[in-house]
Amino acid sequence: FPQRTCIIPKMMVSAARRSARHPSIVQVSSIASRHFSTTTGISGSNGSFKDHKLNCSKALKKADEGRLFGDLAGDQVSTLEGIGPDRAEALSSIGIHTIKDLATNKYFHIARAIETMSKTEVAGDRPAESIMNIDDGVDKEYHSKSLQEIVEAPVSALLGIGDKKTEAWKHMSVITVGDLANLKYCHWAESLVVLGGFEGKVDQTVDEAATVNSDSDSAAGKDSK
């Protein structure tokens, strides 16, 4: 059989080399963030991002304000403004480590759903033949309660929230189901994750010459001190 030669495009070789140097998405994002103030290697569907005004300054720590929404999902919850070590530890104790964990937490989602639909509830207006229920979402003693009553109930009314989780949520100033439904950190986390799916194409290829120069300048600055 004739010998076949495998030709690898230069683009793929370059990508592989970049991958070897920067094996993780987090590392690539970190490098991109260092050069966010320039347009070198970073452009959107309309070119540069210099004309954009959107920001989430009140929701994120200062160092993370210029990053991509999509990259924030895997960050620790402490990336959110207002969540310090104590709150982060409390959330971690119940399995909530990242922004995405907080955004997708089932207790937040059921609490918000209950609170949302409670606003449509009319006292005493349930049809006699109705089979509507949320028995798999709340403790047995709340099966017959109205949505409005559940909103005002302790967060432990949600099925699966025992003493440990109650205490953890208390660190987040969550006492009732309604408190959890309206917890701003959960809303921020969910919004960051959702918005990450609507970001324009971003070229994260960093100009290596600029990187070298930047590093050289930093080194020179240190030597001069």
Side-chain angles (χ1 to χ4, degrees):
F1 295 97
Q3 185 175 5
R4 294 183 179 180
T5 303
C6 179
I7 300 175
I8 303 176
K10 289 184 178 180
M11 186 183 300
M12 292 178 65
V13 173
S14 297
R17 287 174 179 169
R18 286 198 302 273
S19 177
R21 287 195 296 271
H22 312 295
S24 73
I25 294 176
V26 173
Q27 288 173 306
V28 173
S29 299
S30 177
I31 292 172
S33 296
R34 290 167 54 191
H35 301 278
F36 193 83
S37 59
T38 72
T39 58
T40 303
I42 300 181
S43 59
S45 54
N46 296 318
S48 138
F49 291 115
K50 278 191 171 183
D51 63 340
H52 287 42
K53 296 179 181 179
L54 69 81
N55 67 81
C56 301
S57 300
K58 292 183 178 181
L60 300 168
K61 298 288 171 60
K62 196 68 178 177
D64 300 295
E65 289 177 10
R67 295 173 56 204
L68 294 170
F69 287 117
D71 288 345
L72 292 166
D75 274 21
Q76 297 295 305
V77 290
S78 55
T79 298
L80 297 176
E81 186 65 56
I83 296 185
D86 289 344
R87 284 180 164 176
E89 184 178 354
L91 290 174
S92 179
S93 72
I94 56 174
I96 300 174
H97 307 286
T98 67
I99 287 176
K100 186 176 181 180
D101 291 338
L102 190 57
T104 58
N105 181 263
K106 69 177 183 179
Y107 299 114
F108 161 59
H109 282 278
I110 188 171
R112 185 179 60 177
I114 291 170
E115 199 265 347
T116 296
M117 298 315 296
S118 72
K119 296 174 182 177
T120 73
E121 197 170 52
V122 177
D125 200 39
R126 179 183 172 94
E129 69 279 7
S130 177
I131 56 175
M132 185 180 289
N133 73 88
I134 53 170
D135 289 3
D136 286 346
V138 295
D139 279 344
K140 188 173 182 178
E141 65 178 292
Y142 293 95
H143 286 184
S144 62
K145 301 292 185 182
S146 69
L147 293 174
Q148 293 174 4
E149 289 174 318
I150 297 173
V151 167
E152 297 171 1
V155 71
S156 57
L158 299 179
L159 190 63
I161 294 189
D163 293 341
K164 181 180 179 181
K165 289 176 180 174
T166 296
E167 191 61 31
W169 285 118
K170 189 181 294 184
H171 276 80
M172 303 299 295
S173 300
V174 170
I175 306 301
T176 68
V177 171
D179 291 337
L180 181 53
N182 293 293
L183 186 61
K184 67 181 181 181
Y185 304 111
C186 291
H187 285 272
W188 289 353
E190 183 183 45
S191 297
L192 291 171
V193 172
V194 170
L195 291 174
F198 294 92
E199 291 183 312
K201 292 182 179 179
V202 177
D203 178 9
Q204 287 190 320
T205 303
V206 179
D207 186 329
E208 294 187 15
T211 304
V212 171
N213 290 336
S214 176
D215 292 342
S216 298
D217 291 343
S218 297
K222 291 180 181 178
D223 291 340
S224 64
K225 291 182 179 178

